[in-house]
Each structure stands twice: as structure tokens, then as C-alpha cells.
Amino acid sequence: MKKTLNIFLLCTLIIQTVSAQSPEILSIRKQVLQNAGKIMTEYSEFLSLPNVAADPVNLQKNAAFIMKMMDQRGIKNVQLLNAGTANVPPAVYGEVIVPGATQTLIFYAHYDGQPVNPSQWAKGLEPFKPALFTNALQNGGSLISFPANGKFERDWRIYARGSSDDKAGVAAILNAYDALIKSGLKPGSNIKFFFEGEEEEGSTHLNEILDKHKSLLKSDLWIICDGPVHQSGKKQVVFGVRGDTHLDLTVYASKRPLHSGQYGNWAPNPAMMLARLLASMKDENGKVTIKGFYDDVIALSPAERKALLEVPSVDQQMKNELGISAVEIPGTSLSEAINLPSLNINGIQSGNVGKLATNQIPTTATAVIDLRLVLGNDWKRQQQKVIDHIKAQGYYVTDKDPIDEERKDHGKIIKIVPEEGYNAQRTTMDLPIVQKIIAAIKTTTTGQVVLQPTMGGSLPLYLFEKHLNAKTITIPVVNHDNNQHAENENLRIGNFFDGIETMGSLMLLK
Amino acid sequence: MKKTLNIFLLCTLIIQTVSAQSPEILSIRKQVLQNAGKIMTEYSEFLSLPNVAADPVNLQKNAAFIMKMMDQRGIKNVQLLNAGTANVPPAVYGEVIVPGATQTLIFYAHYDGQPVNPSQWAKGLEPFKPALFTNALQNGGSLISFPANGKFERDWRIYARGSSDDKAGVAAILNAYDALIKSGLKPGSNIKFFFEGEEEEGSTHLNEILDKHKSLLKSDLWIICDGPVHQSGKKQVVFGVRGDTHLDLTVYASKRPLHSGQYGNWAPNPAMMLARLLASMKDENGKVTIKGFYDDVIALSPAERKALLEVPSVDQQMKNELGISAVEIPGTSLSEAINLPSLNINGIQSGNVGKLATNQIPTTATAVIDLRLVLGNDWKRQQQKVIDHIKAQGYYVTDKDPIDEERKDHGKIIKIVPEEGYNAQRTTMDLPIVQKIIAAIKTTTTGQVVLQPTMGGSLPLYLFEKHLNAKTITIPVVNHDNNQHAENENLRIGNFFDGIETMGSLMLLK
């Protein structure tokens, strides 16, 4: 049995050596494959802990689980970093001080996940019951048990909330350190670990945590392990992120739901009002029509523009994969699109559809809109542009349920709840340490390393600049087709194992 | 104890005599008030039986309960009338043949209810746990137990699905017969009872039931007890109904949900597509912009126009009550609006809102739209106008989930599922039997009896004309502010008791 396994490992090593560059990375790979069963069992246990903001008790259990993982790996000074405000999910901290090291790298990931609506997950899947499949569901994957021989295929997927975003980051980082030590290797820098618990809630208290623990968090570079690798499957170094903020919109009509026959065409319909309002925000070519929406944008530098040109085009691949033949702004590439501020509807709801539909005029209609920001945008100013647009459509704007007096005075009433947000951030490409990072990633692959001026997603990286005067660089590891932020979130095993190598290469960096 | 009750009854009778006209109605009223405890206990038991289409087992229990109610009242020939198609909720039939009677009246109500979404009901309320309140929720009503003394106040409300629509019809009819017999009175006509179980599903198999039991269902007039009395609180005779049909619309975007940051502004957003599509169907003045939508309408007759002018205006009252200050088509009265075909959004859903909202681009967006029809409209032609409009907006229309090939060929894809429907119906006002009906209702009130050419709501009354060559007239009993078809459906006790008198007056008619 053991012999078979070793032969398998050998074959895998030979096949995979083609794309591997350094003997250190090969040692890490060997460790990972030998311990794959243990790694995956531990990961599955981690994914079984619910990690949504609405469930603070379980968030604490996640933090405790990470502390245990760190202790087991011999990481020192393990502790929870609390915010000044009470009842904020803590960050988990740990460190490894390396004698003679001249620099300090701090590895970031987050352990909290997006909300879940279990009814939207595929039949048999539950967000917090990790399930192993032979491939992605959309590729015909089927459910399997964890293999007794600890042999995991690269195309297998594990389904659970947080499997990709971003418990994969936590696990890739901690398993990279484990594999490195077990291979008899030594980190090239001092290493710190920082795992946040409030990222999907907008990192509202991260500023407090950073301020409060400033000296502990001193470093030469933050390495952010979050987001997916490039859609081409190539490894990726990301220099910036978009900012993000939201607005919750609720249009009010009749105080009580009405029979659509008795009052249809007379009483206002909030779903139709909201549809008209949302439609007024974009033209038929997908361009946002809100006044000044594309103002304030700081253009890419020549180096960033050059890098952007070298990003492989995946537009046709993604169209095929997603089953779409048109894009929102005709003629705009995905690379160009994520370098623009965006307005996107996350959700809309009024009355009921499907089997619950009734012949009614609903009382309210609600939408959540998501504003992504690029460098130069200010999140509060961007929200205000949307609010001003809504007012220009004749709406009376309030921040709570309208009272009778307001209902009497205004034909069109909307409640707008602006959520917290943060701005975009970009690290310049020409820093010496950034060049070392790129070189380290190159030791793990013979393929192109994609240099991405910004990713489409958001992280509150401006906070690290603002509160710690720190530089950040984002090194993603998970597959791009991971359904993160939605139902059926999943992680491809090959990406997980490659990600451990990627993180390992950075820990070796001197 | 008994004495106190009798004094109360006496006071009530004295107060209420002001608006009552005939000694027979007073006898019926006395019976109802004396038996109020029993009537309400039985009604509460009836309302405890879930009556939604998705639950056929409980629908059967509702039918059995009605049969028992009929047996207990000495109604003859009680039986279930099945459709030709299997598994259709049966109608419940019974009859009372009166020696010497020269005409037959058949009383119709339906025992099935609209779907329920318990999460939308007010805290503490459940659709099938009837609850008694001291007033409407919106008027500050509070929960109370059933009174031990059997004394129910007129402004009290009972909350449950079906409490108004239309178990109230079933119970008003059967309790009217009971009170009439117990008062020593005799029906003036042969009386038949017909309680449908599929009305809220569009009465899809009613044609089969009517055809199959044609001879049993012979009558001079169908009296339809459904819908609310006039908003002014006045009793109402309704000569027609609007037709009704629905379309389920689903817009398709990416096959899997996407991270709104990674793909926002590039991948199409189905919620925005649907918002634009729905917005294209109405202009800012609430007029439907679909080609030919207002064609085919048969104008009101001079008598109907005259009746319409005499309908009390409730527009300002309803605006106050509903907390709205604008109507959908500015300058149009409620009476005018319900004499037009309408297009109304019953529900819309894409992604999630509120606590379940995530930063995603949803895969689909769904809306249910409700088309109300007036005399002259054909429901299939009206559906087709909407479908043609959607095609004219550049949509590829399918009736199932699109396959890859369709996704490749079409940028805008929509699934349209047209539901069954039926046309409007109007009975001419000048029939002699109709005049007798109006006179009978007038024996129960000194107030105006509102003559309404059509109600806004829908019933498949054209089927009675088509399959039985029968005339119909609609006599509603329930309160107008009853939340029928939505959460927190309720019945005002005063309306229920008055409704029993109304039905009794019709049974006395010779």
C-alpha cells in the first residue's frame, strides 16, 4: 500500500516537475502530497465551522480553530487581536522570528465568509457540510468520499462556504509554513500571520485593530492571499484592488399589500417603480448614466498600461464558460471593465415569485446595489452621486420607514441605507521588494506570471497604507470558477496545493 | 350570565335595527348573535385547515369539512363533484328543494386560498393558526382569546389565509341557511350550493366540472359570494368581473453566479436586464406602452355608465388609508382604472437582499406579471401582445432553461411561461331577476346599495355563461381592507355577520 503511494507520488512529481523551478518548491510539494489526507481532513473540519457575520459564536470558533492550527505548527506569540469596539470578530495573529532575517513579511487572509441562502445551493449541498466532488458541478462532477489512501486528484473540488474565499488563504499559508519546516527548510524572512474575521462585512473595524496593534504588525510588506488566480489558470501578482460600497434601496407604495385586481392600475406598484429607477441608472449599452459617475478616475501609469497589455485575454474563454454571448458594455474587454467604476445589482426583491407568487401589489420593493471604485474615486462621493440621481428622478429620500406625514407629502418615497465602504488601492510596480516577490512566484512555475495592475474584487488595502504606512501585494491562489460570494462555493484541489507552494516560495524569500 | 347576554343582544338589536329593513332579517340577525360563539368556533376550525394548491391532501380535508357543515344543517344530496381530470380539488355540492318554489338560485364560493409565505406575516401570526384581534393590525389591534361569553365585537378581526377570500363566502352562505331555518323561515327558491376548490389556481378544471354535472347545476341564477364590499362600507351588487392571466418571466445571464467585483460591468446583470425590460412596459404616467394593449375593449353601456357615476368616490379615503399620495395613472379614478386592462408586477426576485445579500451578479432574474382584462379582451391575445413586446426589445424567447447553443446565439434570453387565464364577464343590469336581487339586498340596509358594473378582481364567470348558459351576479360580503392575496389576510367580524344576513335575504327571495 505504502509502495503504491510512493510510486504514485513519484509519477506525480515527474509530471509536475515540468512546471516547477526550484528544489525547495519540489520538497514542499512532496510534503504536501504525502500529507494530503491530513491537510484535507483538517481543512474539511475548518470548513464545517459556519463563518457568517450573523453567527458571531461560530466566528469565535473559527478563530480558535486557527489558533490551534498555528500552535500545532510551532508558530509563536499566537493571540487574538481585538478591535477597540466590543463584539467585533477578532483577527488571529502569530509570528516566526528568524535569526539573521533582514525583513519581515506579513501574510494576510480572512476567515469570515459571505452570507448563505441554503435554499439556493445545489441539491444535497449544504454551505457548512464540506463535500468532495470529482469535478465542478457544471462539469459533471459527482460526490465522493474522502479517499482512504489520501490521494486527491487536482481537478477534484471541495464545496462549502469559505472553501475559496478565504479559508483557502488561511490554510494555504499555514500549510505552506508546515511543509517548509517539515522539509527542513528555513524561512528567509521573519514571518507574521494576520487572519481577519470581518472582511466580508467591509472590514469596518480593521482600522481599530491596525491602530491598536501597530507595533506588533510592523512589516516590510503585507502579502494578501485572497481572490482567484487568473482565468487562464496562470499564477498572478495583483498590485491593486477596487474599492467597494453598497446602497440598500427600498421603494414604498401602499401601506398594506393590495389585491392586484381590485387596485391594479390605480395604486402604485413598488416593483415597477424600482424597475424604472434602476433602469434609469444605466443606458442600453451598459454605461452608467448617473451624473459624474466616471469622473475622479486616476489613469493607469505607463508601466501599468504595459502590464495590462500583457495580461492574456480570456474574454472568449469566459463567455464560453459562463454561457453568455454579449457583455454589458459592448466592445469592452474584461481587463478594461475592471479598471472602471461599476454599478451592479446584487439582489432585488418584491412580493413573491414561483410557487409563492400571489395576485398582489406588494407594499415595498428592495434592491441592493454594489458600487466598485477605482483609484481616484471616493466611496462617499460615489454614493452621493447615486443618491443625487435618485432625487433627480423625483424621489423623496429617507433613511427609515416613512411616517404618514411623509406619505401624504410625497408621491415617490425611497429609503436609502448607505453601507460602509472603502476606496481602491494600488501599489506601484517598481518597488524592489515587489520585484523579489515576482521572482519568488516564478520559482514555482514555468508558465507566465500574470502581472495585474488591479483586480476586479475589493479588499480594504488602503487601510494598511493609511494606518501602518505599509505596502501590500495580493497573491491569489484559488480557482477563478469558484462561485465565491454565491451558492455552491468551491475550491479546486490543484489550486489549493499549488497555492501552498506559492505561499511557500514567498516564505523562502530573503 | 345568560341574562347579561340577552340584555347585550337586545341592545345590539336596537342599535342595529336602524339600518335593518325587514323582520325576517332581524330574526336572522338574532340567530347569528345568539350562536356567534359556535359560528366562530366552527369558522376557526375551518380556517385551521391549510387550503393552498400545493397541499392537495389538506384541500380534501377542507372539502370534507364543508360536507360535514352541510350535513349538520340538513342540506340534502351533499356530494363532491369531481372533474374529468384526476387529482383536481373537487367542488362541494348540496341542495335544498323547496316545494312550490318557481326558481332555483345556486350559491357559489370557493374554499381554496392563495399561496402563503409565512415569513412575510406579522410577528406571531401564522397563516393557518386563526388569531382574533381587537381591530386591524394597522389600526393598533391586539391579540385576544375567543370570548367565553360568545360576544364578538363588530370591529374585531380574525387573521388567517382564506379568512376573507373565500372561506368567508362558504361560511356566510351555510350560516345564512342555518339561521334562516332556525328562525322558522323558509327559503323562497330552491337553493343549491357549489363550493369550488381551484379558484385561486385559475379554475383550470371548472369547465370540466360544469360540463360533467350540467343537469345537477341547472339554475336561474348563480350568486357568487366573493370579493370585498365597497370601500365605503356600503353593500354592493357587482355585475361583472375582470379577466385575469399571468406570465412568468425569467431573464438569463451567466450560468454560474459571479463575484460582482471580478466581473461587474462586464458580465450582464439579469436584474438590471429585467428592470429595463419591465420599465419598457409602462411610461412614467403609468400607461402601458405595449402595442395595442388598450385595444379590443368593449365600452360600458349607458346604464352601466350611469351606475358608475353613482358609485361613491373613495379615492381620497383609499389614499389616506393606504398612505399613498399619487396614483399610477395621474388623474384616473379607481372606478375608471378598474374598467381598463392592467399590467401589474406581482413579484420580482433576483439574488438576495437584506441580510442574505452577497456581492454577486445573479444568474437569473424572475418576475411574475398579472394581466387583468376587461370585456372585449381575449386573454391569449393579451398575453401575446406582451410576448411580442418582449421580442421587440431584442429578446430571444424560450419556454425552458436555455441550452448552450441558445446561449451562444443570443445575447438576451428570456423564459416566458404563460399561465392559464380567462376573460372578463358582465351580466346586463336590466334582467328582472337582477332587479329582485337588488331589492332583496335593500331589505338588509337603509344605506345605499352600490351597483358596480364590474369589480377589479377576477372570477371565471364566463365559464358559467359558456358551459351552462347561466347568468351570474356577484354579492360580496368581506371588508375591503382584508389583505386578501397577501400576508396578514383578515376578516372583520361585522362584515361576516352582515354577510350572513345578506345571503339570508337572497335565500328568502321568491
Side-chain angles (χ1 to χ4, degrees), chain A residues 242 246 260 269 276 359 370, chain B residues 246 260-261 282 344 359 370:
Chain A
R242 291 207 275 192
H246 293 81
S260 64
N269 185 303
R276 291 188 63 78
N359 281 337
D370 173 23
Chain B
H246 294 81
S260 64
K282 274 194 179 176
N344 177 64
N359 282 334
D370 173 23

Side-chain angles (χ1 to χ4, degrees), chain B residues 437-470:
Chain B
I437 294 283
I438 298 170
I441 306 290
K442 284 187 174 167
T443 65
T444 69
T445 175
T446 53
Q448 179 188 358
V449 174
V450 176
L451 307 182
Q452 192 72 268
T454 189
M455 68 171 174
S458 303
L459 289 164
L461 301 188
Y462 81 101
L463 284 174
F464 299 99
E465 278 193 343
K466 188 177 160 193
H467 292 268
L468 302 178
N469 197 24

Side-chain angles (χ1 to χ4, degrees), chain A residues 378-451:
Chain A
D378 173 78
W379 67 273
K380 285 198 177 166
R381 195 163 61 234
Q382 207 72 353
Q383 282 185 339
Q384 195 56 48
K385 291 173 193 168
V386 179
I387 296 169
D388 290 345
H389 174 86
I390 292 171
K391 286 180 180 166
Q393 311 308 305
Y395 275 89
Y396 168 74
V397 174
T398 171
D399 59 357
K400 45 190 169 311
D401 287 353
I403 59 171
D404 285 356
E405 207 54 44
E406 291 169 308
R407 287 176 166 276
K408 210 165 280 173
D409 290 347
H410 304 284
K412 292 161 88 175
I413 301 177
I414 192 167
K415 177 172 75 178
I416 304 183
V417 181
E419 294 181 18
E420 290 293 310
Y422 51 79
N423 293 344
Q425 183 275 347
R426 220 154 52 217
T427 296
T428 170
M429 285 178 162
D430 46 21
L431 291 177
I433 196 165
V434 167
Q435 292 302 317
K436 284 205 252 175
I437 293 283
I438 297 170
I441 307 289
K442 283 186 174 166
T443 65
T444 70
T445 174
T446 55
Q448 180 189 357
V449 174
V450 176
L451 307 182

